[in-house]
Amino acid sequence: MSHHKRAGALGVAALLAGIGMALAEGRHDALGMVSIEDGAGVVYGAGPANLPKGTQLSKLAGDPAKPGPFVLRIKFPANTVIAPHTHSLPETLTILSGSIHHQHGETLDKASGKLLRAGGFVYLPQDMPHSLWTTEELVELQVNGSGPFGLNYVNPADDPSRKAD
């Protein structure tokens, strides 16, 4: 892994780890089991700076910055674009509510994206470039993977954390 990619992956992992969305008290048992009775029990906070403004994230289990499995829930607002990017390790996406477009490739091509609705699923191998975008509705999805996990934009200028407000 190049120094640039490693720095990007570590930066993203640090952002995700630093998000103030620790698991709520009472959701862990002494053996590490996590139990959330329904979706109302999922606590969201602002997403990391490397995701578009308005993104909300909840860390349900594990820590994407550390070795081992993790589970995140992410909400993307309407009309959000996540530019072409890759991940340092494989991930799965499960659409929980709403709909989102997904497209493979190093350039954004909305004409070739596939619409994923609630119940939809995507498995992405390590370093597979892809894009996501929403239209008129909020979407909630679950991300499962193993850490340390990172997000690297194909074009570094697309990283929202690099843009001035």
Side-chain angles (χ1 to χ4, degrees), residues 67-94:
F70 67 84
V71 181
L72 304 174
R73 294 258 175 106
I74 302 176
K75 288 183 181 179
F76 293 113
N79 303 307
T80 297
V81 174
I82 302 90
H85 63 281
T86 62
H87 298 284
S88 55
L89 291 170
E91 74 169 331
T92 64
L93 303 174
T94 304

Side-chain angles (χ1 to χ4, degrees), residues 112-151:
S112 70
K114 292 188 177 187
L115 181 63
L116 304 172
R117 294 180 184 87
F121 174 84
V122 176
Y123 168 79
L124 293 160
Q126 177 178 340
D127 295 325
M128 176 171 276
H130 64 285
S131 306
L132 298 159
W133 64 94
T134 62
T135 54
E136 288 85 34
E137 64 183 334
L138 173 129
V139 66
E140 181 179 22
L141 53 88
Q142 183 163 303
V143 177
N144 294 63
S146 291
F149 189 74
L151 182 152

Side-chain angles (χ1 to χ4, degrees), residues 5-125:
K5 282 188 176 182
R6 181 176 294 115
L10 292 175
V12 170
L15 279 171
L16 287 172
I19 294 170
M21 285 163 276
L23 297 168
E25 294 298 321
R27 293 187 185 175
H28 282 180
D29 72 3
L31 300 175
M33 184 188 86
V34 177
S35 177
I36 302 171
E37 291 73 24
D38 58 35
V42 177
V43 178
Y44 283 89
N50 67 335
L51 289 175
K53 279 191 175 201
T55 299
Q56 296 182 319
L57 189 138
S58 180
K59 189 166 51 169
L60 300 182
D63 184 342
K66 297 178 182 175
F70 67 84
V71 181
L72 304 174
R73 294 258 175 106
I74 302 176
K75 288 183 181 179
F76 293 113
N79 303 307
T80 297
V81 174
I82 302 90
H85 63 281
T86 62
H87 298 284
S88 55
L89 291 170
E91 74 169 331
T92 64
L93 303 174
T94 304
I95 312 314
L96 302 176
S97 66
S99 59
I100 192 166
H101 294 265
H102 181 265
Q103 180 243 329
H104 294 107
E106 292 189 356
T107 58
L108 182 64
D109 178 9
K110 289 187 175 181
S112 70
K114 292 188 177 187
L115 181 63
L116 304 172
R117 294 180 184 87
F121 174 84
V122 176
Y123 168 79
L124 293 160

